[in-house]
Amino acid sequence: TTLDGHDNAGHVLEDLVVDEGQDLPQKFFEYARRHVAGTLTVFADDDQALGERRTTLEQIKAATMLRTRSS
């Protein structure tokens, strides 16, 4: 990403909550983890994606380094 390697490219938020994460691109989660927030909470459901272009739970987990928790 463009901000990688810049000294002032730290997190701008403490927490970020994302709902319907399955409909966002994987790169969004990589960027958010690196540059947006120190803590990410992502709600996503593989079975409720709006289209074929979706990010799976495994892709979200890999991009964010999140642990998964089932409800």
Side-chain angles (χ1 to χ4, degrees), residues 11-63:
H11 296 133
V12 294
L13 300 173
E14 285 186 38
D15 305 294
L16 176 66
V17 178
V18 177
D19 194 15
E20 302 297 339
Q22 73 277 0
D23 294 317
L24 296 170
Q26 184 174 356
K27 290 289 186 188
F28 168 84
F29 296 102
E30 293 171 5
Y31 182 85
R33 177 182 54 84
R34 288 185 181 140
H35 305 294
V36 178
T39 302
L40 296 174
T41 301
V42 180
F43 296 95
D45 185 338
D46 280 336
D47 296 325
Q48 294 191 8
L50 293 176
E52 293 299 316
R53 294 185 59 180
R54 63 186 177 96
T55 303
T56 67
L57 297 179
E58 289 303 314
Q59 291 170 320
I60 293 170
K61 183 179 172 181

Side-chain angles (χ1 to χ4, degrees), residues 32 64 66:
T64 58
L66 290 173

